[in-house]
Amino acid sequence: VLHLWNHEYDQALPYCRESLRIKVELVGDDAGSVNLWSSLGLINYATGSLPAALAAFRKAMQMSTQFIPGGHHLAGQLGNNIGCVNFEIGQNLPLVQSQLKQSLQMQKEGGDADGGGEEDLFSISITMLNVGVVCARQGQNAASITHVKSCFAIQQALLENDNEVVKSTATYLESLLRRRTATMILPTMAASNKHYGTKYEAPQPMAQHDKGHKRRGI
């Protein structure tokens, strides 16, 4: 986990694989395996191993629905990450947009069911941004601006105005308002709520695994 937080993906990968092997051999699959599979997906996404990332995120999503009752928000985050991988692979944009909108709906439903929290809201804001990005790539400027404005409003409520997340989103929104084409898409953290955000640097996509946005920024 520390290697993942520190973006040391080459070091994190063997530890994650070994943890999964030991867990399956000693305990079998359960709710705890979801975090390991989602972490494996994030590592593979960050290193450009997109088919492996897609397989890991799908496995995590399958297990989240099987072992975590009412885990709509988590399944939604994983669905967002699947959309991100498909975006990078080059899947058709309407499909990616549909996946991200479904992810957003699941996260909202999950937040309504359990009361939500800052971490859940932050993940929702990232998916809103991603939907806006895909809309922009398809020339749907009005829809793109609507989603990014909603994202920006949430992040302003959660973070200080000088936070890099807020500034990056503000810059992106300004570019949309100037009718510039946007190309950034970000996966949300699909594992533990202890490390859900990413270092968020437009315009490059980055896997999300910082420890928290209120204490130290992202």
Side-chain angles (χ1 to χ4, degrees), residues 145-192:
I145 289 170
T146 296
H147 281 95
V148 177
K149 279 185 174 179
S150 297
C151 161
F152 187 49
I154 292 173
Q155 292 178 354
Q156 280 187 306
L158 295 176
L159 307 170
E160 301 294 333
N161 286 335
D162 62 350
N163 186 280
E164 290 303 316
V165 174
V166 177
K167 291 193 291 185
S168 294
T169 302
T171 299
Y172 186 72
L173 179 57
E174 289 169 5
S175 75
L176 288 176
L177 294 170
R178 293 194 299 267
R179 298 178 181 271
R180 292 180 181 174
T181 301
T183 58
M184 142 182 95
I185 188 166
L186 299 170
T188 63
M189 183 59 230
S192 166

Side-chain angles (χ1 to χ4, degrees), residues 73 77 104 107-108 110-112 114-129 150-158 188 196 213:
H73 190 88
Q77 290 177 314
L104 184 59
Q107 290 181 70
K108 288 179 176 179
D112 290 341
D114 60 20
E118 291 184 359
E119 296 164 0
D120 291 347
L121 285 172
F122 183 78
S123 293
I124 286 171
S125 79
I126 293 297
T127 304
M128 286 178 172
L129 175 67
S150 297
C151 161
F152 187 49
I154 292 173
Q155 292 178 354
Q156 280 187 306
L158 295 176
T188 63
Y196 59 90
H213 61 266

Side-chain angles (χ1 to χ4, degrees), residues 2-123:
L2 289 175
H3 287 307
L4 184 58
W5 284 347
N6 292 327
H7 312 293
E8 298 167 349
Y9 304 116
D10 290 339
Q11 294 94 318
L13 183 58
Y15 284 106
C16 189
R17 285 175 172 167
E18 182 66 9
S19 296
L20 269 171
R21 185 190 66 79
I22 292 172
K23 191 168 195 325
V24 170
E25 287 184 0
L26 296 182
V27 180
D29 288 329
D30 59 15
S33 301
V34 176
N35 286 353
L36 291 172
W37 279 108
S38 60
S39 294
L40 184 61
L42 289 165
I43 293 166
N44 283 315
Y45 181 90
T47 57
S49 301
L50 299 180
L54 187 61
F57 285 138
R58 284 175 172 168
K59 179 70 172 180
M61 191 172 187
Q62 173 193 341
M63 296 180 67
S64 71
T65 58
Q66 180 178 354
F67 294 113
I68 304 177
H72 297 291
H73 190 88
L74 175 58
Q77 290 177 314
L78 288 160
N80 175 90
N81 288 358
I82 289 170
C84 288
V85 177
N86 282 329
F87 178 88
E88 295 293 337
I89 288 174
Q91 288 282 3
N92 70 83
L93 292 177
L95 172 62
V96 175
Q97 183 174 338
S98 176
Q99 290 175 328
L100 292 172
K101 284 186 173 181
Q102 183 178 10
S103 158
L104 184 59
Q105 184 61 35
M106 293 177 71
Q107 290 181 70
K108 288 179 176 179
E109 290 174 356
D112 290 341
D114 60 20
E118 291 184 359
E119 296 164 0
D120 291 347
L121 285 172
F122 183 78
S123 293

